[in-house]
Amino acid sequence: MASGRTSSSKNNLLLRHAHVARWRAGRWPATLRALLWSAAAGLLFVVLNTLMRKLSLQLDPFETQFLRYLTGLLVMLPLVFSAGLAAYRPRNVGGQFTRGAVHTLGLCLWFIAIPHITLADTTAIGFTTPIFIMFGAVLLFREPMRWERWAAAGIGFAGVLIVVAPQLTGQGGVYTLVMLASAPVFAASFLITKALTRYERAEVIVVWQSITVTLFSLPLALLNWRMPTLGEWGIALVCGLLGSVAHYCLTRSYATADISASQSVKFLDLVWATLLGWLAFGDQPNRYTLVGGVIIAASTVWIARREARRPG
């Protein structure tokens, strides 16, 4: 009996500490919270992409794309049913399907190009997406583009170039252009997400992204379909969970502050990827990676401190 009371007291203490931590975090400036949400999303996406790479070596890339969003929907169904279907009914169904179609197009371009160009080229081109997002935020949402945001984005991108420039081959031909075309498409998808956060909850956006991308990806997946093994289904389920949580963090970031304010932290993804490659596969970072990583991390810390001094 005493043991039960002790356990209950510990649980209550943990809940109180969690409540206090959440209250303190809620007092942080909105832009700082957006940066933290975006950084968490980036870390989760790096882990996700590592598993997706493993799965795409075993299955057709388009089938991998379909399974990732199908399982993402499956892991969210318990939340949907517990809250009730009405809680996840979107206010703008057309906007949800538009976002899903645009995001599916970006994924298709990415998967068409990835077998034909190097990983270094892919990384360099992928980091142009935040630049397109920042321009779009100015044009579409009239977000204030303070000089600090441009500076942090420029310094972070310079850090990326230091890492990947020595490895660029330039031999991708037309597929390099296809990969480049995916960057503004993904930027458009994220800008639509930002627009949807004005009247949709993050959970609703993430659920409907899984629904729409799954539907749009199904015809492509059926072209070269092979029934996944039990192990492949397991990897796909983990990918679905990671992807759903990552997109939730990203959507919370967009809902918390200007979308342009969080783009500089995107360059931290290269740091996460380097660390994961070292821990998981023993990939030793070269000097260019170390120098570029330090520059990227420094620019992120700097913009976070600058934004934290501004009122929420």
Side-chain angles (χ1 to χ4, degrees), residues 11 27 42 68 100 117 147 165 171 225 229 253 256 279 293 298 310:
N11 290 336
R27 292 171 60 87
R68 175 257 175 275
I117 64 176
W147 70 269
Q171 298 174 355
W225 179 266
T229 65
S253 172
T256 302
L279 293 173
R310 297 182 180 276

Side-chain angles (χ1 to χ4, degrees), residues 41-159:
L43 177 58
L44 291 169
F45 277 128
V46 168
V47 178
L48 168 65
N49 290 339
T50 302
L51 294 175
M52 289 281 286
R53 179 184 179 188
K54 176 179 176 59
L55 195 59
S56 64
L57 293 175
Q58 303 169 13
L59 297 171
D60 180 77
F62 290 131
E63 182 178 352
T64 303
Q65 172 185 323
F66 167 76
L67 289 174
R68 175 257 175 275
Y69 282 93
L70 174 64
T71 54
L73 178 60
L74 292 177
V75 298
M76 288 185 289
L77 284 181
L79 297 175
V80 174
F81 290 138
S82 64
L85 295 178
Y88 284 86
R89 183 178 297 118
R91 298 183 180 181
N92 185 347
V93 177
Q96 300 290 349
F97 272 87
T98 299
R99 193 274 169 112
V102 172
H103 202 77
T104 302
L105 175 59
L107 289 169
C108 289
L109 292 171
W110 194 87
F111 274 113
I112 288 171
I114 194 63
H116 303 282
I117 64 176
T118 67
L119 187 59
D121 292 337
T122 301
T123 303
I125 294 170
F127 277 111
T128 61
T129 299
I131 307 300
F132 287 113
I133 289 176
M134 295 176 78
F135 279 116
V138 174
L139 296 174
L140 299 177
F141 304 129
R142 300 293 187 265
E143 290 187 1
M145 280 308 300
R146 306 185 184 104
W147 70 269
E148 298 102 319
R149 296 178 184 178
W150 285 117
I155 294 170
F157 188 65

